[in-house]
């Protein structure tokens, strides 16, 4: 399995998500209206990273969420990479409050995970979208908004957009790149 070597900015991102998820879980656990609050990591990764700064292994976003003191009621972890999924399954095999899915999160979220967290069933969810590239589909964001039960934390793929799509001369951008941007942005 390929383990990502992450720089300082990724460590900072992990810290921000960890603190946000912890605050979210604390607040939701105290609310009577939300019986269950779920954690969804749509681009979950391998579960661990190698920090370039220290050369040490550090927990990824799913492990951070699993260690929150006032825990989420349930955790949904999704990744496209079979080896990473296997590792996530191995790391969480003793937890009955975790389901790991292998597949494109755009389909898995809409077909399997979002139906588990319906507003009318008194469920709420924090959904982390942390892709490398322009992978998320706007339909996912739109559906989460419609459902009113899901809060999204989106790590914006600025580098991919700037390098491949948002050029000074839009006519020079490859149609496939425009299509990727459109899928994420508006349809
Ligand atoms: C930036 S990493 C996630 C890091 C993780 N959130 C963390 O902070 O520990 C992005 C992950 O998304 C996965 N991925 C890429 N495209 C995907 C897709 N369409 N659906 C699900 N996972 C995908 C990759 O295999 C990779 O593990």
């Amino acid at each position: 399995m390929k383990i990502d070597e992450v720089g300082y900015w990724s460590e900072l991102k992990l810290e921000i998500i960890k603190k946000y998820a912890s605050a979210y879980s604390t607040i939701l656990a105290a609310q009577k209206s939300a019986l269950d609050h779920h954690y969804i990591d749509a681009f979950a990764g391998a579960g661990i990273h190698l920090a370039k700064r220290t050369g040490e292994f550090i927990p990824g976003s799913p492990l951070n969420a699993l260690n929150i003191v006032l825990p989420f009621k349930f955790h949904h972890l999704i990744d496209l990479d079979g080896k990473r999924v296997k590792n996530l399954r191995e790391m969480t095999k003793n937890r009955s409050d975790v389901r790991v899915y292998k597949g494109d999160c755009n389909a898995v979220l809409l077909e399997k995970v979002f139906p588990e967290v319906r507003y009318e069933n008194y469920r709420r969810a924090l959904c982390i979208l942390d892709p490398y590239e322009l992978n998320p589909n706007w339909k996912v964001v739109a559906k989460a908004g419609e459902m009113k039960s899901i809060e999204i934390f989106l790590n914006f793929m600025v580098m991919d957009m700037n390098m491949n799509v948002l050029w000074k001369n839009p006519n020079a951008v490859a149609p496939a790149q425009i299509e990727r941007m459109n899928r994420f942005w508006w349809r």
Side-chain angles (χ1 to χ4, degrees):
M1 180 186 69
K2 182 179 173 295
I3 294 184
D4 289 340
E5 275 189 52
V6 297
Y8 175 67
W9 292 115
S10 293
E11 286 190 61
L12 208 54
K13 171 196 77 182
L14 284 163
E15 193 60 23
I16 290 168
I17 296 174
K18 182 164 85 174
K19 286 190 174 153
Y20 196 92
S22 176
Y24 178 96
S25 190
T26 303
I27 292 164
L28 269 283
Q31 287 195 9
K32 290 195 181 78
S33 61
L35 290 181
D36 287 357
H37 62 294
H38 292 210
Y39 175 84
I40 305 169
D41 211 324
F43 296 84
I48 50 165
H49 306 289
L50 192 59
K52 283 183 193 156
R53 222 166 35 92
T54 59
E56 287 175 7
F57 287 109
I58 55 169
S61 52
L63 285 199
N64 282 337
L66 287 164
N67 288 329
I68 284 173
V69 175
L70 278 172
F72 284 81
K73 204 67 168 254
F74 203 82
H75 308 77
H76 306 264
L77 312 178
I78 311 165
D79 205 278
L80 196 54
D81 181 308
K83 290 185 180 149
R84 291 185 168 187
V85 165
K86 197 169 162 219
N87 200 48
L88 289 171
R89 290 200 170 120
E90 183 59 31
M91 284 194 290
T92 58
K93 67 182 177 201
N94 296 324
R95 300 272 306 236
S96 57
D97 57 349
V98 180
R99 194 175 307 149
V100 181
Y101 310 75
K102 181 189 176 310
D104 176 0
C105 66
N106 292 300
V108 175
L109 287 171
L110 293 175
E111 291 162 18
K112 296 185 178 160
V113 180
F114 284 1
E116 295 284 325
V117 288
R118 291 186 202 281
Y119 187 88
E120 54 274 28
N121 295 340
Y122 300 96
R123 295 211 169 144
R124 304 292 183 269
L126 177 64
C127 176
I128 310 294
L129 295 170
D130 178 26
Y132 292 132
E133 299 168 337
L134 270 169
N135 309 104
N137 188 320
W138 175 252
K139 284 183 191 151
V140 168
V141 179
K143 184 68 186 172
E146 271 168 33
M147 289 180 70
K148 301 193 187 330
S149 53
I150 300 169
E151 184 167 327
I152 276 183
F153 200 113
L154 171 65
N155 187 8
F156 237 63
M157 305 128 287
V158 177
M159 196 192 285
D160 189 7
M161 292 182 204
N162 284 343
M163 283 176 69
N164 298 306
V165 189
L166 303 176
W167 291 1
K168 282 195 181 118
N169 176 9
N171 295 329
V173 179
Q177 301 290 2
I178 293 173
E179 180 51 31
R180 283 194 324 129
M181 184 74 192
N182 282 346
R183 255 202 316 274
F184 166 59
W185 201 236
W186 66 286
R187 60 179 184 179

